[in-house]
Amino acid sequence: MGKSRRWMYLMYNNSTVSLDLVLQIGKIIHHDFSDSIKELSTSLKVNESPTAYEKEEISADYWKDKYLKLLEEYNLLLKQR
């Protein structure tokens, strides 16, 4: 989110947090707030499904492949020196 720790503490003490902000935090921490907030369960849960990118990002294979690709690029850079 690009916010400071202080901003997060102030946001948690604020009683008027926007639903968009709650959704962003929920995606970051992988938590569905629709059980706790009535407005979320009625309006957003019907159409919300993870995108292909989100599914891939969660998988262990995604991170393994990303690591291997970066490692190969790093080795190529070392050889060029």
Side-chain angles (χ1 to χ4, degrees):
M1 289 181 65
K3 304 293 183 184
S4 69
R5 183 182 300 201
R6 174 88 174 130
W7 182 89
M8 291 299 292
Y9 288 133
L10 291 173
M11 190 270 316
Y12 283 120
N13 289 329
N14 186 354
S15 62
T16 59
V17 177
S18 71
L19 290 178
D20 292 333
L21 190 56
V22 172
L23 288 174
Q24 284 181 336
I25 293 170
K27 282 186 178 184
I28 291 169
I29 64 173
H30 304 288
H31 180 75
D32 183 12
F33 285 106
S34 63
D35 295 334
S36 307
I37 303 172
K38 286 188 275 182
E39 290 85 3
L40 288 176
S41 62
T42 57
S43 65
L44 297 173
K45 196 158 186 156
V46 174
N47 295 327
E48 198 168 300
S49 63
T51 63
Y53 176 76
E54 289 170 335
K55 288 178 187 176
E56 185 177 347
E57 185 178 7
I58 294 172
S59 73
D61 288 333
Y62 169 79
W63 292 109
K64 181 187 74 165
D65 293 339
K66 184 170 183 163
Y67 172 76
L68 292 174
K69 182 180 177 191
L70 288 172
L71 188 60
E72 290 171 0
E73 291 174 4
Y74 177 72
N75 286 333
L76 285 174
L77 289 173
L78 287 177
K79 288 179 183 178
Q80 291 175 354
R81 291 181 132 203

